[in-house]
Amino acid sequence: MTSRHRAGRITTFAFAIGAGLAIASGAGAAVAAAAPDDSGQSSTSSSSASSARTHKPAAARASAKPKPSSAPVVQLPVKRTTTAVSASPMSSVSSETVSKSVASTKQTRAQRLPTPVEVQQAIVAGLDAARRDLDTLRKNIELLVKHQIEGIRDNLTTLRYDLEAIVGPYRPPVTPDIPSDDTPGLIGNPAAKEGLFLYQGQTNRCVLMSTGMVIGQLLGADKMPTAQQITDEAATTPSTVNPGKNIYDPVADTYVAYADALQLLENHGITATSTQYSKGQGTNAINNVKAALTAGDSVIVTVNANIAWGRAAPGDAVTANHAITVLGIDTINNIVYVNDSAFNNPGIAMKMDVFMSSWAANDYQTITAYVTPAQESTIAA
């Protein structure tokens, strides 16, 4: 190869290198122009740079510079693209948050819904509450009706007593020959007790006289106080019912309370209890009296004198609360033997039905008494 040929090839090679450098320089300028500036924006797009490299000759490409006027035109889509790209994560986060919120709301609502078992339990509880309310209402209505009926019955009974006092039968006391203690069907020992009698006179001392008679029945005739003695004792003994007062005021002729009568009996060594029964407990009340008489105890009952004696009741007898002593009961002939201090004659006979009616008017008020065991041993000695 000759030197001329070598020089030609070198020149050609140099030219090629120069052309390559020029092309590289132009491409670098294009890349620099396309690269983002300090503000984060690019002055041209990669597609425009590629188009310039394809259609322009090498010399033009080497000397070409980016046109300032073209930058704003190119920036708009780039800016929108950047905004769209940067907004995409936000949209994704927002959508995800909304999805989670909706799912959480649905889950919360699902958790608030009661299960079938809870619904059943709520229904059962409601029905139980309604049943209890109905039971309470029923009981209240039953009590109301019962009280109304009892009130009407009591009013009718009171009316009957009032009518009997005005136009009732005339039942003068009958003093029969009291049978001996060994008579069949006879409860108690009325023949031995009828003589132990005290008369109250024109005073309100039926409770005091009955108390004195019981003392004699249990302790004997020699220990039975007289009417004046039991009166003086009550007039000087403090009352357990009315503090500051004595059991009996002879001037005012006050009524003696049964609790004070129990105190007088206790002062004489006698144990006594007072009992009342309801309207429907007449059978129980009379059976207890029979049991007490069988045991040798003494009995005081409270009767309505107008029912017991009708128009024959003495004016000195307390109408509603008249105390008498029960001596014995003839269960075969249904006769009750009593001592009534309002009549100045002992050993009176009453029919059982009349006795029960007059006794029921005062709630079967009963005092049963017996000698206190310690006192009984002293008497025996």
Side-chain angles (χ1 to χ4, degrees):
M1 182 178 296
T2 63
S3 299
R4 189 171 47 187
H5 288 162
R6 288 193 184 106
R9 286 197 301 271
I10 291 172
T11 302
T12 302
F13 181 74
F15 179 79
I17 291 175
L21 291 175
I23 293 171
S25 177
V31 172
D37 56 9
D38 293 340
S39 63
Q41 296 179 350
S42 60
S43 57
T44 184
S45 64
S46 58
S47 60
S48 299
S50 176
S51 176
R53 286 195 300 269
T54 304
H55 296 95
K56 290 186 178 181
R61 288 197 300 270
S63 62
K65 293 183 179 179
K67 295 181 180 181
S69 59
S70 63
V73 177
V74 179
Q75 287 175 354
L76 292 176
V78 173
K79 187 174 182 181
R80 287 196 297 270
T81 302
T82 303
T83 303
V85 173
S86 62
S88 178
M90 296 176 61
S91 300
S92 175
V93 173
S94 177
S95 299
E96 183 179 359
T97 303
V98 171
S99 300
K100 289 183 178 179
S101 176
V102 172
S104 176
T105 302
K106 290 182 178 179
Q107 184 178 4
T108 302
R109 291 178 179 174
Q111 290 175 351
R112 290 178 181 173
L113 292 176
T115 63
V117 175
E118 292 175 341
V119 172
Q120 182 180 4
Q121 291 175 349
I123 293 174
V124 171
L127 292 176
D128 288 342
R131 178 181 56 78
R132 289 193 296 269
D133 292 340
L134 290 175
D135 288 343
T136 302
L137 178 62
R138 176 181 57 79
K139 292 178 181 179
N140 291 337
I141 293 176
E142 288 178 353
L143 289 175
L144 177 63
V145 173
K146 180 181 178 181
H147 292 163
Q148 291 294 331
I149 292 175
E150 290 179 350
I152 294 173
R153 183 181 61 189
D154 292 343
N155 291 335
L156 291 176
T157 301
T158 302
L159 178 61
R160 187 191 72 183
Y161 296 160
D162 293 340
L163 291 176
E164 286 181 349
I166 299 174
V167 296
Y170 181 75
R171 297 191 185 105
V174 177
T175 308
D177 292 332
I178 298 178
S180 60
D181 296 343
D182 58 354
T183 301
L186 184 66
I187 297 176
N189 50 353
K193 293 179 179 178
E194 66 169 329
L196 302 171
F197 176 79
L198 296 176
Y199 177 55
Q200 72 185 63
Q202 304 298 313
T203 62
N204 181 26
R205 295 180 296 170
C206 60
V207 174
L208 282 180
M209 298 303 107
S210 295
T211 300
M213 286 187 279
V214 165
I215 294 173
Q217 292 171 12
L218 294 174
L219 301 182
D222 58 332
K223 293 185 179 297
M224 186 180 76
T226 64
Q228 189 60 47
Q229 288 174 336
I230 194 67
T231 300
D232 293 341
E233 182 180 351
T236 57
T237 302
S239 171
T240 60
V241 178
N242 301 303
K245 297 182 179 180
N246 293 326
I247 292 176
Y248 177 69
D249 183 352
V251 176
D253 190 23
T254 55
Y255 181 75
V256 176
Y258 287 106
D260 285 336
L262 299 181
Q263 181 62 48
L264 289 174
L265 291 171
E266 184 178 346
N267 293 343
H268 287 263
I270 295 173
T271 299
T273 58
S274 178
T275 309
Q276 283 184 299
Y277 302 84
S278 64
K279 298 293 185 182
Q281 292 183 310
T283 300
N284 188 29
I286 191 63
N287 287 339
N288 288 338
V289 169
K290 291 178 180 179
L293 294 174
T294 301
D297 299 341
S298 292
V299 178
I300 298 174
V301 297
T302 305
V303 298
N304 185 303
N306 286 337
I307 298 175
W309 314 116
R311 290 178 288 110
D316 299 325
V318 178
T319 300
N321 298 285
H322 183 54
I324 61 176
T325 64
V326 179
L327 306 178
I329 299 174
D330 184 349
T331 59
I332 295 178
N333 298 305
N334 290 325
I335 294 175
V336 180
Y337 299 102
V338 302
N339 269 351
D340 186 341
S341 61
F343 296 97
N344 195 13
N345 54 313
I348 298 174
M350 297 177 65
K351 291 183 178 180
M352 176 62 75
D353 58 343
V354 175
F355 171 79
M356 293 299 293
S357 296
S358 62
W359 189 25
N362 289 277
D363 299 325
Y364 304 105
Q365 173 75 44
T366 306
I367 293 178
T368 56
Y370 59 91
V371 178
T372 305
Q375 182 71 19
E376 188 175 18
S377 61
T378 302
I379 294 174

